[in-house]
């Protein structure tokens, strides 16, 4: 139960989607891999998960640095945040 293992990060409004995560019956360590192979294994589980979107957005909103969340690695989330920030800056300067 990976999400259960992450319960210290829980937020009341997040309970609903977390309970439906495919990782609930998996060891938490699987979602905190130490190499690229481990990342791919975790991402394969996330790919079939019905709550992939809220999970990824939760990790992005809370700037969670470690682990695979919503099918994204730490590096991918950093990339998403950077591109969103650049898009927001471009939108602001275009006004
Ligand atoms: S997307 Fe992945 S990490 Fe998130 S709840 Fe689903 S299986 Fe767990």
């Amino acid at each position: 139960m990976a999400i259960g293992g992450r319960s210290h990060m829980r937020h009341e409004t997040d309970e609903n989607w977390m309970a439906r995560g495919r990782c609930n019956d998996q060891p938490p360590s699987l979602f905190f891999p130490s190499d690229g192979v481990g990342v791919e294994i975790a991402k394969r589980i996330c790919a079939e998960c019905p709550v992939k979107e809220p999970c990824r957005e939760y990790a992005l909103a809370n700037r969670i640095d470690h682990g695979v969340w919503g099918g994204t690695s730490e590096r991918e989330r950093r990339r998403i945040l950077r591109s969103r920030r650049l898009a927001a800056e471009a939108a602001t300067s275009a006004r």
Side-chain angles (χ1 to χ4, degrees):
M1 53 174 241
I3 286 292
R6 300 167 172 185
S7 60
H8 61 289
M9 297 176 187
R10 278 191 184 188
H11 185 275
E12 250 179 78
T13 56
D14 299 311
E15 296 286 332
N16 291 341
W17 68 262
M18 283 187 174
R20 292 187 288 123
R22 269 202 77 201
C23 53
N24 276 320
D25 58 355
Q26 303 285 337
S29 58
L30 212 148
F31 291 83
F32 294 95
S34 56
D35 60 17
V37 174
V39 168
E40 290 309 313
I41 291 169
K43 283 168 72 172
R44 238 177 277 152
I45 296 170
C46 294
E48 307 286 322
C49 181
V51 293
K52 194 167 56 174
E53 301 297 318
C55 179
R56 187 190 61 216
E57 291 306 318
Y58 175 83
L60 290 168
N62 291 285
R63 303 288 193 273
I64 299 174
D65 290 336
H66 301 293
V68 171
W69 292 75
T72 59
S73 66
E74 299 150 28
R75 189 182 302 172
E76 287 166 334
R77 288 197 304 279
R78 276 199 299 273
R79 210 174 295 147
I80 292 168
L81 286 172
R82 195 181 322 124
S83 70
R84 285 184 184 179
R85 194 176 55 241
L86 291 174
E89 285 169 9
T92 303
S93 62
R95 280 187 199 157

